[in-house]
Amino acid sequence: MDEHHQGKGLAKLVLPILLEKLYKDYAVDKIFLSVYETNELAIHLYEKLGFKFNGELDINNERVMVKSRS
């Protein structure tokens, strides 16, 4: 996201809608994402949304998080 739009709470509003759309439209039970360990704000948001670290790293050395459909 462009840095001019960061910190305004937009992800907090949009991500739950996006997640539900992914579950519905793609009939998936899990959603994965990756995040740099230093991005504490994003990690906090993802954890609030139910994502948990799975112990893996992606090809960019980012930590992988997963959320199971509730």
Side-chain angles (χ1 to χ4, degrees), residues 1-11:
M1 181 179 282
D2 183 285
E3 65 186 32
H4 295 96
H5 299 288
Q6 292 178 350
K8 296 182 179 179
L10 298 175

Side-chain angles (χ1 to χ4, degrees), residues 9-10 12 18-19 21 25-26 31 45-47 49 53 56 58 61 65 67-68 70:
L10 298 175
K12 189 179 193 178
L18 175 63
L19 294 172
K21 181 161 180 58
D25 292 357
Y26 295 96
I31 296 174
L45 173 63
Y46 299 147
E47 288 176 333
L49 292 171
F53 288 107
E56 297 178 13
D58 73 3
N61 215 31
M65 299 181 85
K67 175 178 171 47
S68 297
S70 46

Side-chain angles (χ1 to χ4, degrees), residues 34-65:
S34 58
V35 62
Y36 286 110
E37 192 168 356
T38 56
N39 194 343
E40 295 175 11
L41 289 175
I43 291 169
H44 181 70
L45 173 63
Y46 299 147
E47 288 176 333
K48 284 179 96 174
L49 292 171
F51 283 89
K52 297 186 184 315
F53 288 107
N54 69 358
E56 297 178 13
L57 297 175
D58 73 3
I59 61 171
N60 297 312
N61 215 31
E62 293 181 50
R63 294 181 68 192
V64 177
M65 299 181 85

